[in-house]
Structure formats: C-alpha cells, structure tokens
Amino acid sequence: MIDNVSAEQLRLFIERIERLEEEKRGITDDIKDVYGEAKSTGFDAKTMRVIVKLRKMEKHHRDEADALIETYRNAMGLN
C-alpha cells in the first residue's frame, strides 16, 4: 500500500498532468483556429502542415526524405 506521503505526491503529479492536458487541448484548438484562418485567406492547410513538419526536421533528414520521395515518384511514373 502507498504511504500518505507517496499518495500525496502521486495526487500532485496526476493533477499537474491533468492541468497540462487541459492546456494542450487549448493549444490544439488555437492551432486549428490558425489553420482555419489561413485557409479562409486562400492558403492550403494541408500543405502548411507539411511545411511545419519539414521545418521541424534537420536538413539531412529532409534531404533523405526528399530523395526517397523522388525515388518513389519515379518508380510510380509520377514525374
């Protein structure tokens, strides 16, 4: 059985996680709103998501991904 000190510590961790999860939901909603706003001004949200993902990658990983996509496109006759 968990002693009182450990139980209190566990409760505090759980409450922190719950608060952070709520903040995460709020941020997720804010991000959706920004994509919606961009879309309403004529930008393509799907393409923007790809760009955001690419910007998170290191250059050598981006280069590897580009090379693989090019290889697969050629194999499928998409060039």
Side-chain angles (χ1 to χ4, degrees):
M1 182 167 172
I2 298 178
D3 61 35
N4 286 341
V5 175
S6 296
E8 177 65 13
Q9 190 176 27
L10 175 61
R11 183 185 63 76
L12 292 173
F13 282 131
I14 296 297
E15 289 174 354
R16 280 176 56 197
I17 291 168
E18 290 170 341
R19 281 192 303 276
L20 291 168
E21 288 290 343
E22 184 60 36
E23 289 178 29
K24 184 168 73 171
R25 278 190 290 280
I27 290 170
T28 298
D29 290 343
D30 291 347
I31 291 169
K32 270 193 235 180
D33 291 345
V34 172
Y35 279 114
E37 186 179 337
K39 185 176 180 178
S40 72
T41 61
F43 291 99
D44 181 71
K46 184 176 179 180
T47 303
M48 289 176 62
R49 288 179 195 280
V50 171
I51 295 298
V52 168
K53 181 179 176 183
L54 289 171
R55 286 173 50 100
K56 289 179 187 178
M57 298 171 78
E58 294 179 12
K59 183 175 180 350
H60 70 276
H61 288 153
R62 249 191 340 265
D63 291 344
E64 287 174 13
D66 288 343
L68 276 173
I69 289 170
E70 185 66 22
T71 299
Y72 288 14
R73 286 179 62 147
N74 287 333
M76 297 302 298
L78 294 175
N79 286 340

